[in-house]
Amino acid sequence: MSPYALIDRPSPFAPESAETAADALPVWAVTPADIEAGTFDAAALAWARAAGFQAAEGAVLLVPGPEGKLAGALFGLGSEGQCHPFIGGKLARTLPEGTWRIETASVAPETMALGFGMGAYRFERYRKPAAQGPRLAMAETVDAAAVRRSVAAVALARDLVNTPANDMGPDALEAAFRGLAEHYKAKVTVVTGEELITRGFPMIHAVGRAADQAPRLLEMRWGKKGAPKLTLVGKGVCFDTGGLDIKPSSAMLNMKKDMGGAANVLALAMMIMDAGLPVDLRVLVPAVENSISASAFRPGDVLTSRKGLTVQIDNTDAEGRLVLADALTYACEEDPDLLIDMATLTGAARVALGPDLPPFYTDDEDLAGALATASKDVVDPLWRMPLFKPYEADVKARIADLTNAPAGGFAGSITAALFLKRFVTAETSWAHFDIFAWSPKDKPHAPVGGEAQGIRALFEVISKRHPA
């Protein structure tokens, strides 16, 4: 089944057929050097020169044909090698309706197609949908299935993050989780409410117990037993008020995105299952809302985790690491070959690296190298940060084993990662991704709003280790 059926939106790509490609209108994606050298269609070149088209990055010039019909379009790439890698996304927003094909020697066809697909994204759940946009006929040299899969996964992550908390609480996140599992015939189990205590997930329960919708741990299994074990854990805090240490209104405005870790691991799981990778996949999402009521957990409380470590609550707004701790402990009980967690965990990560460069943490040198290479290869920015051992002292508490909010305010992303590390067995290959899951500015391939981060690089690493 197409992944687009899961996200309930039309594909930005035309059906694959020779007839479709032949009938598609050409887009000549060119640099100023191409215009000077005259290296493309003669009629389009003459029109470009007559119109004074300079091939500035992202500029579009429609090319007329006989009888007032379109003959194609010119698309500027700017100076050779200097354009945004996914500049093709601008075409999805500027070309008129119809089927198009891109002709260029300057940018890889697969990169142009991926940019077009990601740039076509619109979140229109709460308003009248825009008119049908252009569709792209991909070049024969492009791995069309891979591009469609990546674009659909990015759209899934964005949709989940963009949906406000009144429609994306723990109940709705569970429904989305089950929908993904059903689409790919995966198995789901859920531990909900008071059962979290009896089943040994006390910190997930404590964080979510103040909300109207019960806290829960979502678990999905797919693949073949005996295959390499891959476990994905995603922070699913559907809204974060900060708890009793309440956030100011300005900091609370985008807290619908605090389940961005869950959204991204679900999108990554979609890619893995859609590609049929030979892995034993397990997905864990602690789904909660950090709310305020008489039953809310308090500053100064001491919680006992699933692992048995005690945690002093020095700030109820540092709740994500608490729910992840129980989930990571549970994940390690089955000795995964690779354990990945993704979370919108700290503002400190954004202070250090900004919104578009998520840090990741791992002690596995081979994994770190593979992620760094994949990040560059697929243009999915990531940056390794250190699990700096001397900072472990900052995670210690006065009356408990650990604090959830070290004093001092320094190295907040690192100390959060070191906190999580205490719940991962030493022999486990593990990486933690402290993502933002949000694009604060329009980009050629991404409007302002929810964003997928790191999943294409992760898929590149996983699929190379375990090719279908």
Side-chain angles (χ1 to χ4, degrees):
M1 289 187 291
S2 165
Y4 290 97
L6 175 64
I7 58 175
D8 191 28
R9 69 172 68 239
S11 169
F13 302 109
E16 296 173 50
S17 72
E19 292 79 10
T20 298
D23 292 340
L25 289 169
V27 178
W28 295 282
V30 295
T31 66
D34 293 326
I35 293 178
E36 184 176 346
T39 57
F40 57 99
D41 181 84
L45 174 64
W47 179 250
R49 289 174 172 169
F53 183 69
Q54 300 296 313
E57 184 176 329
V60 173
L61 177 67
L62 297 179
V63 177
E67 301 177 1
K69 294 183 179 180
L70 276 175
L74 288 158
F75 183 54
L77 298 177
S79 299
E80 186 80 33
Q82 299 300 310
C83 69
H84 189 284
F86 295 123
I87 190 65
K90 285 200 170 183
L91 287 171
R93 305 181 196 183
T94 54
L95 289 175
E97 182 179 351
T99 301
W100 299 80
R101 68 178 190 274
I102 299 174
E103 298 185 3
T104 180
S106 300
V107 181
E110 192 154 326
T111 303
M112 288 293 284
L114 187 57
F116 183 97
M118 292 191 293
Y121 176 84
R122 299 289 183 274
F123 184 67
E124 297 177 320
R125 177 170 175 170
Y126 300 99
R127 60 187 180 193
K128 183 179 178 180
Q132 172 68 46
R135 296 199 301 173
L136 181 66
M138 286 184 271
E140 290 184 2
T141 57
V142 171
D143 184 344
V147 171
R148 291 174 188 272
R149 181 183 304 125
S150 294
V151 170
V154 168
L156 174 63
R158 290 172 175 174
D159 278 353
L160 291 171
V161 174
N162 283 330
T163 304
N166 60 311
D167 287 324
M168 189 49 67
D171 289 346
L173 184 55
E174 179 181 334
F177 191 91
R178 289 184 180 277
L180 176 66
E182 182 180 357
H183 192 78
Y184 292 105
K185 297 180 171 56
K187 296 181 180 179
V188 170
T189 56
V190 179
V191 181
T192 307
E194 296 302 308
E195 190 183 2
L196 288 165
I197 297 175
T198 60
R199 295 280 296 275
F201 302 102
M203 294 207 295
I204 297 175
H205 179 270
V207 171
R209 71 191 183 203
D212 287 340
Q213 295 183 22
R216 65 207 69 191
L217 177 66
L218 312 175
E219 181 171 4
M220 182 190 306
R221 292 177 182 269
W222 174 91
K224 186 177 181 180
K225 293 295 181 184
K229 295 179 181 178
L230 169 62
T231 300
L232 310 178
V233 178
K235 174 186 169 185
V237 178
C238 296
F239 193 81
D240 183 18
T241 64
L244 292 173
D245 288 308
I246 192 168
K247 293 176 182 289
S249 59
S250 59
M252 209 185 299
L253 185 62
N254 274 344
M255 280 300 100
K256 67 177 183 179
K257 78 174 188 65
D258 213 22
M259 40 65 68
N264 274 268
V265 299
L266 289 182
L268 177 57
M270 172 204 258
M271 296 173 76
I272 291 166
M273 294 187 290
D274 194 75
L277 299 188
V279 295
D280 183 358
L281 177 65
R282 188 182 183 206
V283 184
L284 301 173
V285 170
V288 301
E289 184 177 336
N290 188 20
S291 296
I292 299 173
S293 75
S295 62
F297 74 120
R298 297 162 292 258
D301 284 356
V302 174
L303 305 179
T304 301
S305 67
R306 180 180 182 86
K307 191 168 185 176
L309 293 171
T310 54
V311 181
Q312 178 177 306
I313 305 303
D314 287 320
N315 193 314
T316 61
D317 196 19
E319 84 299 329
R321 66 199 69 185
L322 302 177
V323 298
L324 286 172
D326 275 354
L328 288 170
T329 300
Y330 183 49
C332 289
E333 289 167 9
E334 293 195 4
D335 299 320
D337 296 291
L338 177 59
L339 173 60
I340 300 294
D341 83 73
M342 305 188 83
T344 52
L345 204 61
T346 69
R350 259 44 70 194
V351 172
L353 297 176
D356 301 330
L357 183 58
F360 72 94
Y361 298 83
T362 183
D363 281 332
D364 185 330
E365 296 299 328
D366 290 341
L367 177 61
L371 284 167
T373 299
S375 171
K376 292 179 181 178
D377 287 348
V378 301
V379 197
D380 193 7
L382 293 170
W383 193 261
R384 187 185 185 187
M385 293 274 278
L387 288 161
F388 188 56
K389 192 174 179 62
Y391 289 167
E392 287 182 352
D394 295 341
V395 186
K396 295 179 181 179
R398 286 174 180 260
I399 64 170
D401 295 317
L402 302 169
T403 172
N404 77 323
F410 293 121
S413 183
I414 296 175
T415 55
L418 288 169
F419 178 95
L420 295 180
K421 185 182 176 185
R422 294 292 299 272
F423 297 89
V424 177
T425 53
E427 61 275 12
T428 300
S429 175
W430 163 69
H432 160 61
F433 293 75
D434 190 345
I435 65 174
F436 194 46
W438 192 262
S439 181
K441 296 180 180 178
D442 275 321
K443 303 178 183 68
H445 66 299
V448 171
E451 186 58 300
Q453 293 185 310
I455 62 170
R456 292 186 297 103
L458 275 164
F459 181 78
E460 179 77 0
V461 171
I462 295 164
S463 60
K464 281 190 172 180
R465 288 186 174 190
H466 311 293

